Amino acid sequence: MQIQSVTPARLVTAGLAFGESPRWHDGRLWVCNWGTGEIIATDAHGNREIMLTVPAVLPYSIDWLPDGRLLVVSGREGLLLRQEADGRLVTHADLRGLSKSPWNEIVVDGRGNIYVNGGGPAPAAGEYFGPGTIVLITPDGAIRQVADDIAFANGMAVTPDNTTLILAESHGNRLTAFDIAADGSLSNRRVWADLDGYPDGICLDAEGAVWYADVPNKHCVRVREGGEVLQTVTADRGCFACMLGGAARQTLFIAAAEWRGFEHMVSDARTGQVLSIEAPAPGVGWPG
């Protein structure tokens, strides 16, 4: 049985372009403000600060190494960048030899393994994306592909025991799970949940459920493994990504914006918002 959220989402901040890749870090929500090159941080009251401007328009995504250094996927350039202590951005990994298609999302697990998705073969005529891949960058700097043939790779999350990676396949209408081996390799690919929607960004909670954002359906949905819908939070615009954060990691933050198609993603429109709602269970795993 589907349980609709009885508490409306609260507006945290507005005036963004497209908020993507939200992460809870050092007491604030960090968001990639696609279309501007900005990475911003906002507190629960909507006070925000530009933390970094990167030479990428979109897509770009963020996470952190275990030592606290920021990683930025510069998707169209095919580079994974790292911010040093003095603020400089340097190349952490060069993905251009693996694919000339844009890279998308990133997650760093609890052992320092970095997973980046996107890339893959060139799209067919008239299409924006071809089949996606996942690459692994290990702590020693080795790079290898660990999954392929993904139907528009989007959000990823790793369980707190570092044994399972869950992936949103937006054009496959599903969440897909992989077992993570000791060396970071992925195996035992399986459907975690078939969905009535288009999952974009995702996050995990302590009850084993996944929240996923859905752009065309303008909502975020909490589901169990197998696909049972537990809760739905609706919005008046597309929901691109979500992240559990706050003092107890029990606030669901939602990055939402009006969707006008891929060809209009870069514009002067500033319909992006961050919304929030109190969640039934705290966030766990990675990204954290």
Side-chain angles (χ1 to χ4, degrees):
M1 180 179 68
Q2 179 166 323
I3 304 171
Q4 291 290 336
S5 171
V6 296
T7 305
R10 180 180 71 87
L11 177 65
V12 177
T13 191
L16 305 180
F18 283 91
E20 265 286 8
S21 193
R23 304 287 189 259
W24 185 258
H25 180 74
D26 281 350
R28 291 189 291 180
L29 186 76
W30 293 52
V31 178
C32 294
N33 191 16
W34 282 14
T36 68
E38 298 170 350
I39 297 169
I40 67 168
T42 182
D43 64 19
H45 305 291
N47 301 308
R48 70 181 192 237
E49 177 184 1
I50 298 173
M51 306 303 294
L52 181 65
T53 300
V54 297
V57 179
L58 58 90
Y60 57 102
S61 56
I62 57 171
D63 208 348
W64 283 263
L65 289 168
D67 64 12
R69 286 179 293 175
L70 175 67
L71 296 174
V72 182
V73 176
S74 184
R76 292 192 181 277
E77 289 70 37
L79 298 175
L80 177 60
L81 307 175
R82 184 184 70 243
Q83 187 180 35
E84 300 292 67
D86 61 4
R88 291 180 303 120
L89 284 174
V90 300
T91 298
H92 187 83
D94 188 335
L95 307 178
R96 291 174 294 185
L98 295 172
S99 173
K100 292 181 171 54
S101 296
W103 298 89
N104 192 21
E105 262 288 6
I106 181 174
V107 64
V108 182
D109 73 9
R111 297 176 294 185
N113 286 319
I114 303 163
Y115 296 92
V116 178
N117 70 30
E127 298 290 328
Y128 287 97
F129 297 93
T133 63
I134 302 175
V135 298
L136 165 67
I137 302 103
T138 56
D140 63 4
I143 304 170
R144 67 181 187 275
Q145 182 176 303
V146 289
D148 62 4
D149 197 26
I150 294 165
F152 192 174
N154 243 312
M156 293 184 292
V158 174
T159 54
D161 60 4
N162 291 303
T163 63
T164 306
L165 183 145
I166 300 173
L167 162 75
E169 291 195 81
S170 297
H171 291 174
N173 312 105
R174 60 181 173 257
L175 299 175
T176 297
F178 299 85
D179 292 341
I180 304 174
D183 67 354
S185 298
L186 302 182
S187 64
N188 189 26
R189 180 175 183 165
R190 60 200 180 275
V191 175
W192 195 88
D194 282 313
L195 306 173
D196 182 20
Y198 304 88
D200 198 323
I202 66 173
C203 58
L204 290 164
D205 73 24
E207 294 180 356
V210 168
W211 284 97
Y212 72 88
D214 186 324
V215 176
N217 288 308
K218 301 180 181 179
H219 60 203
C220 280
V221 182
R222 183 175 182 246
V223 293
R224 292 194 198 280
E225 184 173 6
E228 179 189 0
V229 173
L230 302 174
Q231 187 171 345
T232 300
V233 180
T234 60
D236 66 352
R237 61 202 67 198
C239 296
F240 284 78
C242 53
M243 181 56 52
L244 287 159
R249 285 196 71 184
Q250 205 159 338
T251 300
L252 182 74
F253 293 96
I254 302 167
E258 293 180 6
W259 174 245
R260 299 176 301 280
F262 287 108
E263 64 275 15
H264 299 299
M265 287 189 72
V266 179
S267 73
D268 292 332
R270 295 292 180 262
T271 66
Q273 298 179 342
V274 174
L275 310 171
S276 73
I277 189 171
E278 290 309 300
V284 295
W286 291 271

